[in-house]
Amino acid sequence: MPFMKFYPLTFILLFFALQNAPAQTPPSQPKLIVGIVVDQMRYDFLYRYQAKYVPGGFKRLLGEGFSCESAHYNYVPTYTAPGHAAIYTGATPSVTGIIGNEWWDPEWRAHRYVTTDTRYKTVGSPNVKVGQHSPSVLLSSTITDELRLSNNFKSKVVGVCLKDRASILPAGHIPNACYWFDDATGNWITSTYYPDSMGLPQWVQDFNARRLPDAYLSKPWTTDSTLHYDESFADWDKYNDGDYTSLFKGKSMPYDLPAMKKAGGYGVLRFTPYGNSLTLDFAIDAVNKMQLGADDSPDFLCISFSSTDYCAHQFGIHGEEMEDTYLRLDRDIARFLNFLDKKFGKNNVLVFLTADHGGGETPVHLEDLRIPSGVFPESGLEDILEKALAAALGMPGNYISEVGNQQIWLNWDAISDLDLDTDKMASVIIDYLKSQPGVYDAFTREELMALPAEYPFAAETRRGIHPRRSGDIIFQLDPAWHSDDKFFGKGGTTHGSSYAYDTHVPLLWYGWNIPHGASFAPVDIIDIAPTLAAMLRITEPNGTQGKVIGALVK
Ligand SMILES: [Zn+2]
């Protein structure tokens, strides 16, 4: 009777196979997903100020969550718009098309700011331009788009950030709402691109009517007298004069914010830790008033803190302004986690925290320490190259459309009209660049694509190139060299390179289904979106190049 003999065993094996089978039904999902991006947060800021962090902020994320300690950007340029796009699309600029914060747009035949879209109107400010934005420049879908597509738009998605681009790109193409800050009025505003935006919703009008920016700017910005700012360098005042705004020029702590508001308006707020506090105040109101996390479909709040970036640009990374900004952000994060705890419970909210890029040292400071570094005069490069091309081609002309982001866009209208020798033009430009201090190498786009894989940063540079949008000639600078631009000259700092200080950022996970732990296994920032898709069992964004971080997914 072989059948009788084997039947119980078969039954038992089948029973265990079913017990151990992968999930056949959708797992439970979190009520709310919160993506926190801290603009220009270097990895080391997690630890540098830790002695003064409170238990409930960054230390809680580290102590109860999971830290990817070796998370890097894998492309250049490491700027805000490409960074936010990469986090939420799982793709690099080569696919998202977000090749910078601004660039020469060959289709427009004009300079473009990333999210500018004049088909739409400003909602919430008499300033007509500040709301003329949309995500249409972003060529791939976001994890937030995919979440909405996965469940017949039952999930709500909201973007909140002082910066338009860092609110718009994370929230994707089909969010419920997206808000950013208007310097002229101190209001949170939006664009007619977004639904129900013929006027601001009542709760946003009510929030704006509370005039919190006036309250934050009603007293001086000073350090906390109960703390020792001993992570900051003494005598930093000679390096803290960045070029992002003239309002802080020649000044130091304590900053007279009421007087500065009088002179410069609400934009002053961006360069203080209170810009982050206001962002959080508004985001908490959005959770409450839009009823995020109230039903079974997970909602997604994309919040980005920009003041860390403005402060680093303006004051550099070793000043007490920077330390104070992170200490106050830490307390704001504690306030936020506490709010989420009370409202939803830790296990119903999935939080991740990362940065859109890191940031460099202040070049003049490194020079004083005899560490090689420098500022490359990129802002004057177009004039110099036009003159060099005129001399080489034997006639003056308008040969270059734009120089920016360590790229040169040739004027293809002039080239075809005059039947110009593009090989000759390229070699004039490349020869000049290679003769300049701080230039590591320069190449045409074709030469870049043909470099061997092991050529330093060839892969990272290629991942930053979009076939229809990027420049014709690309150059790289030495470590600790930065191009100047309208935001950066001598003091303060900037970012944008393929070097670790710009690519290495925190990546923390916390809450729903997140194991406690840490790993130094290398992770790319483009891994965040596919990992979220795996956790939620939904489709990866349509341009995804990243891989699921296996240690995090149950
Ligand atoms: Zn920046």
Side-chain angles (χ1 to χ4, degrees):
M1 302 284 280
F3 176 74
M4 286 299 283
K5 213 172 173 179
F6 287 111
Y7 175 75
L9 182 60
T10 311
F11 182 78
I12 290 163
L13 285 175
L14 185 67
F15 177 78
F16 278 104
L18 284 173
Q19 289 288 300
N20 293 315
Q24 302 291 310
T25 50
S28 67
Q29 291 184 318
K31 285 190 171 299
L32 180 66
I33 304 157
V34 180
I36 303 174
V37 181
V38 182
D39 202 319
Q40 202 182 141
M41 183 169 180
R42 293 160 53 107
Y43 162 78
D44 59 319
F45 287 160
L46 268 183
Y47 295 100
R48 180 185 297 203
Y49 307 127
Q50 206 177 84
K52 276 162 291 200
Y53 283 158
V54 294
F58 287 117
K59 283 207 285 209
R60 183 169 177 198
L61 293 173
L62 280 167
E64 296 177 29
F66 191 95
S67 178
C68 297
E69 296 275 315
S70 186
H72 281 262
Y73 281 86
N74 64 346
Y75 63 80
V76 275
T78 38
Y79 292 141
T80 290
H84 280 81
I87 292 164
Y88 284 88
T89 61
T92 63
S94 60
V95 173
T96 64
I98 308 301
I99 58 165
N101 290 330
E102 33 194 317
W103 63 85
W104 178 261
D105 185 326
E107 284 164 356
W108 286 7
R109 285 187 166 75
H111 179 80
R112 97 168 281 154
Y113 173 78
V114 54
T115 50
T116 292
D117 193 335
T118 52
R119 293 173 298 174
Y120 301 99
K121 291 196 173 70
T122 300
V123 180
S125 170
N127 185 345
V128 284
K129 285 195 173 164
V130 286
Q132 291 195 301
H133 292 280
S134 87
S136 57
V137 65
L138 176 62
L139 299 174
S140 48
S141 70
T142 55
I143 187 68
T144 42
D145 286 337
E146 296 298 339
L147 180 62
R148 297 258 294 150
L149 291 168
S150 76
N151 60 12
N152 199 9
F153 306 99
K154 283 186 197 138
S155 289
K156 290 180 207 154
V157 169
V158 183
V160 172
C161 181
L162 295 178
K163 289 185 182 178
D164 44 39
R165 60 188 181 277
S167 178
I168 290 165
L169 297 170
H173 302 84
I174 45 173
N176 299 74
C178 211
Y179 299 102
W180 52 96
F181 187 70
D182 173 35
D183 289 357
T185 58
N187 284 345
W188 289 90
I189 62 161
T190 188
S191 148
T192 52
Y193 175 86
Y194 298 101
D196 305 323
S197 287
M198 296 321 289
L200 287 176
Q202 191 58 48
W203 75 265
V204 179
Q205 293 183 42
D206 293 345
F207 185 92
N208 287 336
R210 289 165 62 194
R211 306 309 306 159
L212 289 181
D214 289 305
Y216 280 122
L217 293 171
S218 68
K219 47 188 187 303
W221 173 18
T222 178
T223 48
D224 182 336
S225 59
T226 64
L227 300 171
H228 294 290
Y229 286 61
D230 42 11
E231 263 67 55
S232 302
F233 289 5
D235 301 326
W236 189 253
D237 282 356
K238 58 183 166 210
Y239 305 111
N240 78 352
D241 251 354
D243 287 307
Y244 212 102
T245 172
S246 57
L247 286 166
F248 290 80
K249 279 264 181 218
K251 301 189 172 89
S252 53
M253 284 274 198
Y255 293 102
D256 183 353
L257 297 181
M260 292 167 80
K261 185 186 92 176
K262 239 182 206 164
Y266 292 107
V268 173
L269 195 64
R270 295 178 187 260
F271 298 86
T272 74
Y274 311 117
N276 290 334
S277 301
L278 178 74
T279 304
L280 181 58
D281 296 338
F282 186 71
I284 287 175
D285 219 36
V287 171
N288 286 330
K289 303 293 169 39
M290 295 185 71
Q291 273 126 39
L292 300 186
D295 59 26
D296 289 340
S297 309
D299 297 327
F300 207 132
L301 171 68
C302 313
I303 174 170
S304 289
F305 293 112
S306 301
S307 289
T308 40
D309 180 71
Y310 290 112
C311 287
H313 279 288
Q314 190 61 32
F315 308 115
I317 62 168
H318 293 296
E320 55 187 5
E321 294 94 343
M322 210 61 217
E323 184 165 358
D324 191 64
T325 298
Y326 273 91
L327 296 185
R328 291 183 199 270
L329 174 63
D330 179 56
R331 282 141 181 86
D332 274 331
I333 286 173
R335 169 161 71 105
F336 194 26
L337 294 178
N338 197 27
F339 162 78
L340 294 172
D341 261 1
K342 285 210 175 105
K343 186 144 183 124
F344 305 105
K346 178 189 166 185
N347 294 326
N348 290 316
V349 182
L350 169 60
V351 177
F352 72 88
L353 181 147
T354 188
D356 55 346
H357 52 76
E361 297 275 344
T362 302
V364 281
H365 179 239
L366 290 189
E367 278 167 20
D368 287 350
L369 300 174
R370 294 175 294 178
I371 297 174
S373 88
V375 178
F376 178 77
E378 188 175 309
S379 56
L381 190 57
E382 188 170 333
D383 283 351
I384 290 168
L385 293 179
E386 287 284 19
K387 285 191 186 109
L389 288 169
L393 298 169
M395 55 181 172
N398 177 14
Y399 301 116
I400 293 172
S401 293
E402 187 166 319
V403 174
N405 309 338
Q406 287 92 64
Q407 298 183 25
I408 291 129
W409 283 261
L410 297 176
N411 179 353
W412 286 95
D413 289 333
I415 288 167
S416 55
D417 287 353
L418 301 169
D419 198 20
L420 297 173
D421 179 348
T422 50
D423 287 347
K424 188 173 178 181
M425 292 172 74
S427 65
V428 167
I429 293 170
I430 288 170
D431 288 350
Y432 174 80
L433 285 167
K434 285 185 176 177
S435 73
Q436 295 305 299
V439 174
Y440 178 77
D441 208 348
F443 7 71
T444 64
R445 208 199 293 178
E446 291 69 30
E447 288 166 348
L448 170 65
M449 293 304 165
L451 287 173
E454 63 273 17
Y455 188 90
F457 303 106
E460 285 77 5
T461 310
R462 286 195 277 249
R463 290 188 199 108
I465 298 296
H466 187 272
R468 294 195 304 278
R469 293 182 179 175
S470 293
D472 302 286
I473 288 152
I474 295 106
F475 62 99
Q476 297 174 340
L477 299 174
D478 287 331
W481 276 74
H482 303 275
S483 285
D484 71 352
D485 57 28
K486 60 190 169 193
F487 305 117
F488 175 71
K490 203 158 176 245
T493 192
T494 189
H495 51 86
S497 77
S498 57
Y499 298 113
Y501 48 83
D502 282 340
T503 63
H504 192 192
V505 293
L507 175 55
L508 302 171
W509 303 80
Y510 169 91
W512 177 82
N513 273 3
I514 298 297
H516 173 48
S519 168
F520 281 89
V523 162
D524 293 322
I525 289 305
I526 56 171
D527 297 341
I528 294 172
T531 301
L532 287 167
M535 288 173 173
L536 299 169
R537 305 297 198 271
I538 66 171
T539 307
E540 295 179 352
N542 60 23
T544 296
Q545 299 165 290
K547 299 271 181 291
V548 175
I549 306 169
L552 282 163
V553 183
K554 281 189 193 164

